[in-house]
Coordinates of all heavy atoms in Angstrom, one line a residue:
M115 N 71.1 7.3 193.2 CA 70.3 6.5 193.9 C 68.9 6.9 193.8 O 68.5 8.1 194.0 CB 70.7 6.6 195.3 CG 72.1 6.0 195.7 SD 72.0 4.2 195.8 CE 71.3 4.0 197.4
T116 N 68.0 5.9 193.6 CA 66.6 6.1 193.6 C 66.0 5.8 195.0 O 66.2 4.6 195.4 CB 65.9 5.3 192.5 OG1 66.4 5.7 191.3 CG2 64.4 5.5 192.6
R117 N 65.4 6.7 195.7 CA 64.8 6.3 197.1 C 63.5 5.6 196.8 O 62.7 5.9 196.1 CB 64.7 7.6 197.8 CG 66.0 8.0 198.5 CD 65.7 9.2 199.4 NE 65.3 10.3 198.7 CZ 64.9 11.5 199.3 NH1 64.6 11.6 200.6 NH2 64.6 12.5 198.6
V118 N 63.4 4.6 197.7 CA 62.2 3.7 197.5 C 61.5 3.6 198.9 O 62.2 3.4 199.9 CB 62.5 2.2 197.1 CG1 61.3 1.4 197.1 CG2 63.2 2.3 195.7
H119 N 60.3 3.8 198.9 CA 59.5 3.5 200.2 C 58.4 2.5 199.9 O 57.7 2.5 198.9 CB 58.8 4.8 200.6 CG 59.7 6.1 200.8 ND1 60.4 6.2 202.1 CD2 60.2 6.9 200.0 CE1 61.1 7.2 201.9 NE2 61.1 7.6 200.7
L120 N 58.3 1.5 200.8 CA 57.4 0.4 200.8 C 56.3 0.7 201.7 O 56.5 0.9 202.9 CB 58.0 -0.9 201.1 CG 57.3 -2.2 201.1 CD1 56.8 -2.5 199.6 CD2 58.1 -3.3 201.6
I121 N 55.0 1.0 201.1 CA 53.9 1.2 202.0 C 53.1 0.0 202.0 O 52.5 -0.5 200.9 CB 53.1 2.4 201.4 CG1 53.9 3.6 201.0 CG2 52.0 2.7 202.3 CD1 54.4 4.5 202.2
T122 N 52.9 -0.6 203.1 CA 52.2 -1.9 203.2 C 51.3 -1.8 204.5 O 51.5 -1.1 205.4 CB 53.1 -3.1 203.3 OG1 52.5 -4.3 203.4 CG2 54.1 -2.9 204.5
G123 N 50.3 -2.8 204.5 CA 49.4 -2.8 205.6 C 48.1 -3.5 205.3 O 47.8 -3.8 204.1
F124 N 47.4 -3.8 206.3 CA 46.1 -4.6 206.2 C 45.1 -3.8 205.4 O 45.3 -2.6 205.2 CB 45.6 -4.8 207.6 CG 44.7 -5.9 207.7 CD1 45.2 -7.3 207.5 CD2 43.4 -5.9 207.9 CE1 44.3 -8.4 207.5 CE2 42.5 -7.0 207.9 CZ 42.9 -8.3 207.7
L125 N 44.2 -4.6 204.9 CA 43.0 -4.0 204.1 C 42.4 -2.9 204.7 O 42.0 -3.0 205.9 CB 42.0 -5.2 203.9 CG 41.0 -4.9 202.7 CD1 41.6 -5.0 201.3 CD2 39.9 -6.1 202.8
G126 N 42.4 -1.7 204.1 CA 41.7 -0.6 204.6 C 42.4 0.1 205.7 O 41.7 1.0 206.3
V127 N 43.6 -0.1 205.8 CA 44.4 0.6 207.0 C 44.7 2.0 206.7 O 45.1 2.7 207.5 CB 45.6 -0.2 207.4 CG1 46.7 -0.1 206.4 CG2 46.0 -0.1 208.7
G128 N 44.6 2.4 205.4 CA 44.9 3.9 205.0 C 46.0 4.0 204.1 O 46.7 5.1 204.1
K129 N 46.5 3.0 203.4 CA 47.8 3.1 202.6 C 47.5 4.1 201.5 O 48.3 5.0 201.3 CB 48.0 1.7 201.9 CG 48.2 0.6 203.0 CD 48.5 -0.7 202.2 CE 47.2 -1.3 201.5 NZ 46.1 -1.6 202.5
T130 N 46.3 4.0 200.7 CA 46.1 5.0 199.6 C 46.1 6.5 200.2 O 46.6 7.3 199.6 CB 44.9 4.6 198.8 OG1 45.1 3.2 198.4 CG2 44.7 5.5 197.7
T131 N 45.3 6.6 201.3 CA 45.2 7.9 201.8 C 46.6 8.5 202.2 O 46.8 9.7 202.0 CB 44.4 7.8 203.2 OG1 43.2 7.1 202.8 CG2 44.0 9.2 203.7
A132 N 47.4 7.7 202.8 CA 48.8 8.1 203.2 C 49.6 8.5 202.0 O 50.3 9.5 202.0 CB 49.5 7.0 204.0
I133 N 49.6 7.7 200.8 CA 50.3 8.0 199.7 C 49.8 9.3 199.1 O 50.6 10.1 198.7 CB 50.3 6.8 198.6 CG1 50.9 5.6 199.2 CG2 50.9 7.3 197.4 CD1 50.7 4.3 198.5
L134 N 48.5 9.5 199.0 CA 48.0 10.6 198.5 C 48.4 12.0 199.3 O 48.8 13.0 198.7 CB 46.4 10.6 198.4 CG 45.9 9.7 197.3 CD1 44.3 9.5 197.6 CD2 46.2 10.2 196.0
N135 N 48.4 11.8 200.6 CA 48.9 12.9 201.4 C 50.4 13.1 201.1 O 50.8 14.4 201.2 CB 48.7 12.6 202.8 CG 47.3 13.1 203.4 OD1 47.1 14.2 203.6 ND2 46.4 12.2 203.5
L136 N 51.2 12.2 201.0 CA 52.6 12.3 200.7 C 52.8 13.1 199.4 O 53.7 13.8 199.1 CB 53.4 11.0 200.7 CG 53.5 10.4 202.2 CD1 54.0 9.0 202.0 CD2 54.6 11.2 202.9
L137 N 51.9 12.5 198.4 CA 52.0 13.2 197.1 C 51.7 14.7 197.1 O 52.4 15.5 196.4 CB 51.0 12.5 196.1 CG 51.4 11.3 195.5 CD1 50.3 10.6 194.7 CD2 52.7 11.4 194.5
E138 N 50.8 15.2 197.9 CA 50.5 16.5 198.0 C 51.7 17.4 198.6 O 51.8 18.5 198.3 CB 49.3 16.7 199.0 CG 47.9 16.5 198.4 CD 46.8 16.6 199.4 OE1 47.0 17.1 200.6 OE2 45.7 16.0 199.1
Q139 N 52.5 16.6 199.4 CA 53.6 17.4 200.0 C 54.9 17.2 199.1 O 56.1 17.7 199.6 CB 53.8 16.9 201.3 CG 52.7 17.0 202.3 CD 52.9 16.3 203.7 OE1 53.9 16.4 204.2 NE2 51.9 15.6 204.0
S140 N 55.0 16.5 198.1 CA 56.2 16.2 197.4 C 56.7 17.5 196.7 O 56.1 18.3 196.2 CB 55.9 15.3 196.3 OG 55.0 15.7 195.3
P141 N 58.0 17.6 197.0 CA 58.8 18.8 196.4 C 58.7 18.9 194.9 O 58.6 17.8 194.3 CB 60.3 18.4 196.8 CG 60.2 17.5 198.0 CD 59.0 16.7 197.6
A142 N 58.6 20.1 194.4 CA 58.4 20.4 193.0 C 59.4 19.8 192.1 O 59.3 19.5 191.0 CB 58.1 21.8 192.7
N143 N 60.8 19.7 192.8 CA 61.9 19.4 191.9 C 62.1 17.8 191.8 O 63.1 17.3 191.4 CB 63.1 20.1 192.4 CG 63.5 19.6 193.9 OD1 62.5 19.3 194.7 ND2 64.7 19.7 194.2
E144 N 61.2 17.1 192.6 CA 61.3 15.7 192.5 C 60.3 15.0 191.7 O 59.2 15.5 191.6 CB 61.2 15.1 194.0 CG 62.4 15.5 195.0 CD 62.2 14.9 196.3 OE1 61.3 14.0 196.5 OE2 63.1 15.3 197.1
K145 N 60.7 13.9 191.0 CA 59.7 13.1 190.3 C 59.3 11.9 191.1 O 60.3 11.2 191.5 CB 60.3 12.6 189.0 CG 60.5 13.7 187.9 CD 60.9 13.3 186.6 CE 61.2 14.3 185.6 NZ 61.9 13.8 184.5
W146 N 58.0 11.7 191.3 CA 57.7 10.6 192.2 C 56.8 9.5 191.2 O 56.1 9.9 190.3 CB 56.7 11.0 193.3 CG 57.4 11.7 194.3 CD1 58.5 12.5 194.3 CD2 56.9 11.8 195.7 NE1 58.7 12.9 195.6 CE2 57.9 12.5 196.4 CE3 55.8 11.2 196.4 CZ2 57.8 12.8 197.8 CZ3 55.8 11.4 197.8 CH2 56.7 12.2 198.5
A147 N 57.1 8.2 191.6 CA 56.4 7.2 190.8 C 55.9 6.3 191.9 O 56.3 6.1 193.0 CB 57.4 6.5 189.8
V148 N 54.7 5.6 191.6 CA 54.0 4.8 192.4 C 53.8 3.4 191.8 O 53.2 3.4 190.7 CB 52.7 5.2 193.0 CG1 52.2 4.2 194.0 CG2 52.9 6.6 193.6
L149 N 54.4 2.4 192.3 CA 54.2 1.0 191.8 C 53.2 0.3 192.6 O 53.5 0.0 193.8 CB 55.5 0.2 191.7 CG 55.5 -1.1 191.0 CD1 55.2 -0.8 189.6 CD2 56.8 -1.8 191.2
V150 N 52.1 0.1 192.1 CA 50.8 -0.4 192.9 C 50.7 -2.0 192.7 O 50.4 -2.3 191.6 CB 49.5 0.3 192.5 CG1 48.4 -0.1 193.4 CG2 49.7 1.8 192.5
N151 N 50.7 -2.6 193.8 CA 50.5 -4.1 193.8 C 49.1 -4.3 194.4 O 49.1 -4.6 195.6 CB 51.6 -4.8 194.5 CG 51.5 -6.2 194.5 OD1 51.7 -7.0 195.6 ND2 51.0 -6.8 193.4
E152 N 48.1 -4.2 193.6 CA 46.8 -4.2 194.1 C 46.2 -5.5 193.9 O 46.3 -6.2 192.9 CB 46.0 -3.1 193.3 CG 44.6 -2.9 194.0 CD 43.8 -1.7 193.5 OE1 44.2 -1.3 192.3 OE2 43.2 -1.1 194.2
F153 N 45.5 -6.0 194.9 CA 44.9 -7.3 195.0 C 43.5 -7.1 195.0 O 42.9 -6.5 195.8 CB 45.4 -8.0 196.2 CG 45.2 -9.5 196.2 CD1 46.2 -10.3 195.7 CD2 44.0 -10.1 196.5 CE1 46.1 -11.7 195.7 CE2 43.8 -11.6 196.4 CZ 44.9 -12.4 195.9
G154 N 42.8 -7.6 193.9 CA 41.3 -7.5 193.8 C 40.9 -6.5 192.8 O 41.1 -6.7 191.6
E155 N 40.5 -5.3 193.3 CA 39.9 -4.2 192.4 C 41.0 -3.6 191.6 O 41.5 -2.5 192.0 CB 39.2 -3.2 193.3 CG 37.9 -3.7 193.9 CD 37.3 -2.7 194.8 OE1 37.2 -1.5 194.4 OE2 37.1 -3.1 195.9
V156 N 41.3 -4.2 190.5 CA 42.4 -3.7 189.7 C 42.2 -2.3 189.2 O 41.0 -2.0 188.6 CB 42.5 -4.7 188.5 CG1 43.7 -4.1 187.6 CG2 43.0 -6.0 189.0
G157 N 43.1 -1.5 189.3 CA 43.1 -0.2 188.6 C 42.5 1.0 189.4 O 42.8 2.1 189.1
V158 N 41.9 0.7 190.4 CA 41.2 1.8 191.2 C 42.3 2.7 191.8 O 42.2 3.9 191.6 CB 40.3 1.2 192.3 CG1 39.7 2.3 193.1 CG2 39.2 0.4 191.7
D159 N 43.2 2.2 192.6 CA 44.3 2.9 193.2 C 45.1 3.7 192.1 O 45.4 4.9 192.2 CB 45.2 2.1 193.8 CG 44.8 1.9 195.4 OD1 43.7 2.4 195.7 OD2 45.5 1.4 196.1
G160 N 45.3 3.0 190.9 CA 46.2 3.7 189.9 C 45.6 4.8 189.3 O 46.2 5.9 189.2
A161 N 44.2 4.8 189.1 CA 43.5 5.9 188.5 C 43.5 7.2 189.5 O 43.8 8.3 189.1 CB 42.0 5.6 188.2
I162 N 43.3 6.8 190.9 CA 43.3 8.0 191.8 C 44.7 8.6 192.0 O 44.8 9.8 192.0 CB 42.8 7.3 193.2 CG1 41.4 6.8 193.0 CG2 43.0 8.4 194.2 CD1 40.9 6.1 194.3
L163 N 45.7 7.7 192.0 CA 47.1 8.3 192.2 C 47.5 9.1 191.0 O 48.1 10.2 191.1 CB 48.0 7.2 192.4 CG 47.8 6.4 193.7 CD1 48.6 5.1 193.8 CD2 48.3 7.3 194.9
E164 N 47.2 8.7 189.8 CA 47.6 9.3 188.5 C 46.9 10.6 188.5 O 47.5 11.7 188.1 CB 47.2 8.5 187.3 CG 48.2 8.4 186.2 CD 48.3 7.2 185.5 OE1 47.1 6.7 185.2 OE2 49.3 6.7 185.3
A165 N 45.6 10.7 188.9 CA 44.8 11.9 188.9 C 45.6 12.9 189.9 O 45.3 14.2 189.8 CB 43.4 11.7 189.4
N166 N 46.4 12.4 190.8 CA 47.0 13.3 191.9 C 48.5 13.5 191.5 O 49.3 14.0 192.4 CB 46.9 12.7 193.2 CG 45.5 13.0 193.8 OD1 45.3 14.0 194.5 ND2 44.6 12.1 193.6
G167 N 48.8 13.3 190.2 CA 50.1 13.9 189.8 C 51.4 12.8 189.9 O 52.5 13.1 189.5
A168 N 51.0 11.6 190.2 CA 52.1 10.5 190.2 C 52.2 9.7 188.9 O 51.2 9.6 188.2 CB 51.9 9.6 191.3
V169 N 53.4 9.3 188.6 CA 53.5 8.4 187.5 C 53.2 7.0 188.2 O 53.8 6.6 189.0 CB 55.0 8.3 186.9 CG1 55.0 7.3 185.9 CG2 55.4 9.7 186.4
V170 N 52.3 6.3 187.6 CA 51.8 5.1 188.2 C 52.0 3.9 187.3 O 51.6 4.0 186.1 CB 50.3 5.2 188.6 CG1 49.8 3.9 189.2 CG2 50.1 6.3 189.6
R171 N 52.5 2.7 187.8 CA 52.5 1.5 187.0 C 51.8 0.5 188.0 O 52.0 0.6 189.2 CB 53.9 1.1 186.7 CG 54.5 1.9 185.6 CD 53.7 1.6 184.3 NE 54.2 2.6 183.2 CZ 53.8 3.8 183.0 NH1 52.9 4.3 183.8 NH2 54.3 4.6 182.1
E172 N 51.0 -0.4 187.6 CA 50.4 -1.4 188.3 C 50.8 -2.8 188.2 O 51.2 -3.1 187.1 CB 48.9 -1.3 188.0 CG 48.1 0.0 188.5 CD 46.7 0.1 187.9 OE1 45.9 -0.5 188.5 OE2 46.6 0.8 187.0
V173 N 50.8 -3.5 189.2 CA 51.1 -4.9 189.1 C 50.0 -5.7 189.8 O 50.0 -6.0 190.9 CB 52.4 -5.2 189.9 CG1 52.8 -6.7 189.7 CG2 53.6 -4.4 189.4
P174 N 48.9 -5.9 189.0 CA 47.7 -6.6 189.5 C 47.9 -8.0 189.6 O 48.8 -8.6 189.1 CB 46.7 -6.1 188.6 CG 47.3 -6.1 187.3 CD 48.8 -5.6 187.6
G175 N 47.0 -8.7 190.3 CA 46.8 -10.1 190.2 C 47.6 -10.9 191.3 O 47.5 -12.2 191.3
G176 N 48.3 -10.4 192.3 CA 48.9 -11.2 193.2 C 50.1 -10.7 193.8 O 50.7 -9.7 193.4
C177 N 50.8 -11.6 194.6 CA 52.0 -11.2 195.4 C 53.2 -10.9 194.4 O 53.5 -11.6 193.4 CB 52.4 -12.4 196.3 SG 53.9 -12.1 197.1
L178 N 53.9 -9.8 194.7 CA 55.1 -9.4 193.9 C 56.1 -10.4 193.9 O 56.8 -10.7 192.7 CB 55.7 -8.2 194.4 CG 55.0 -6.8 194.3 CD1 55.8 -5.7 194.9 CD2 54.7 -6.6 192.8
C179 N 56.4 -11.1 194.8 CA 57.5 -12.0 194.9 C 57.2 -13.4 194.2 O 58.2 -14.1 193.6 CB 58.1 -12.2 196.3 SG 57.0 -13.1 197.4
C180 N 56.0 -13.9 194.4 CA 55.8 -15.3 194.0 C 55.0 -15.4 192.7 O 55.3 -16.1 191.7 CB 55.2 -16.1 195.0 SG 54.0 -15.4 196.1
V181 N 53.8 -14.7 192.6 CA 52.9 -14.8 191.5 C 53.3 -13.8 190.3 O 53.1 -14.1 189.1 CB 51.4 -14.6 191.9 CG1 50.4 -14.8 190.8 CG2 51.1 -15.4 193.1
S182 N 53.6 -12.6 190.7 CA 53.7 -11.5 189.7 C 55.2 -11.0 189.6 O 55.4 -9.8 189.4 CB 52.8 -10.4 190.1 OG 51.4 -10.7 190.3
G183 N 56.1 -12.0 189.6 CA 57.5 -11.6 189.5 C 57.8 -10.8 188.2 O 58.4 -9.8 188.2
L184 N 57.4 -11.3 187.2 CA 57.6 -10.7 185.8 C 56.9 -9.5 185.5 O 57.5 -8.5 185.2 CB 57.2 -11.9 184.8 CG 57.6 -11.4 183.2 CD1 59.2 -11.2 183.3 CD2 57.3 -12.4 182.2
P185 N 55.6 -9.4 185.8 CA 55.0 -8.1 185.8 C 55.6 -7.1 186.6 O 55.6 -6.0 186.3 CB 53.5 -8.3 186.3 CG 53.4 -9.9 186.0 CD 54.7 -10.5 186.2
F186 N 56.1 -7.4 187.8 CA 56.9 -6.5 188.7 C 58.0 -6.0 188.0 O 58.2 -4.8 188.0 CB 57.1 -7.2 190.0 CG 57.9 -6.5 191.0 CD1 57.5 -5.1 191.3 CD2 58.9 -7.0 191.6 CE1 58.2 -4.3 192.2 CE2 59.7 -6.2 192.6 CZ 59.3 -4.9 192.9
Q187 N 58.8 -6.8 187.4 CA 60.1 -6.3 186.7 C 59.7 -5.4 185.5 O 60.4 -4.4 185.3 CB 60.7 -7.5 186.2 CG 61.6 -8.3 187.2 CD 62.3 -9.4 186.6 OE1 62.8 -9.5 185.5 NE2 62.4 -10.6 187.4
M188 N 58.5 -5.7 184.8 CA 58.1 -4.9 183.8 C 57.8 -3.6 184.2 O 58.1 -2.6 183.6 CB 56.9 -5.6 183.0 CG 57.5 -6.8 182.1 SD 56.1 -7.9 181.6 CE 55.2 -6.7 180.5
G189 N 56.9 -3.5 185.3 CA 56.5 -2.3 185.9 C 57.7 -1.3 186.3 O 57.7 -0.3 186.0
L190 N 58.6 -2.0 186.9 CA 59.9 -1.3 187.4 C 60.5 -0.7 186.1 O 61.0 0.5 186.0 CB 60.8 -2.2 188.1 CG 60.5 -2.3 189.6 CD1 61.6 -3.1 190.1 CD2 60.5 -0.9 190.3
N191 N 60.7 -1.5 185.1 CA 61.5 -1.1 183.9 C 60.7 0.1 183.2 O 61.3 1.0 182.7 CB 61.6 -2.3 183.0 CG 62.7 -3.3 183.4 OD1 63.7 -2.9 184.2 ND2 62.6 -4.5 183.0
M192 N 59.4 0.0 183.2 CA 58.6 1.0 182.5 C 58.8 2.3 183.3 O 58.9 3.4 182.6 CB 57.3 0.6 182.5 CG 56.9 -0.4 181.4 SD 55.3 -1.3 181.6 CE 54.2 0.0 181.0
L193 N 58.9 2.3 184.7 CA 59.2 3.5 185.5 C 60.5 4.1 185.1 O 60.6 5.3 185.0 CB 59.0 3.2 186.9 CG 57.6 2.9 187.4 CD1 57.7 2.6 188.9 CD2 56.7 4.1 187.3
Ligands
GTP299 N1 40.2 7.7 211.1 C1 41.0 7.7 210.1 N2 40.6 7.2 208.9 C2 41.4 7.0 208.0 C3 42.8 7.4 208.1 N3 43.5 7.1 206.9 C4 42.6 6.6 206.0 N4 41.3 6.6 206.8 C5 40.1 6.1 206.1 O1 40.1 4.7 206.0 C6 39.5 4.2 204.8 C7 40.3 3.4 204.0 O2 41.5 4.1 203.5 P1 42.3 3.8 202.3 O3 43.4 4.8 202.2 O4 41.5 3.5 201.1 O5 43.0 2.4 202.9 P2 43.8 1.3 202.0 O6 44.8 0.7 203.0 O7 44.4 2.0 200.8 O8 42.7 0.3 201.6 P3 42.8 -0.9 200.6 O9 43.6 -0.4 199.4 O10 41.4 -1.3 200.3 O11 43.5 -2.0 201.4 C8 39.0 5.5 204.1 O12 37.6 5.8 204.4 C9 39.9 6.6 204.7 O13 39.3 7.9 204.6 C10 43.3 7.8 209.4 O14 44.5 8.1 209.6 N5 42.4 8.0 210.3
MG300 MG1 44.2 1.4 198.8

């Protein structure tokens, strides 16, 4: 089983900060990956998260379920 956590919230509420804090505490024997569904400034979160040790895939350009369904599947498969 792959454990999945969905971090969601309003613009600027602290999602990236929370993920970065969790990454700092991640057990050494676990592999963590972050699938970023960023709306707007493409790539910013991905670069920051990758610099902090996570495997990152991005799904830019819109909602995972309606606009970016295929890129979402591709991102998951790449992980
Ligand atoms: N006071 C306070 N500020 C916080 C907290 N978490 C994050 N911030 C600040 O809130 C601002 C936005 O945090 P981000 O982590 O970038 O928020 P985000 O939800 O990823 O933002 P978007 O990706 O733009 O939607 C930053 O200046 C953080 O330093 C918190 O728990 N308390
Ligand atoms: Mg963010």
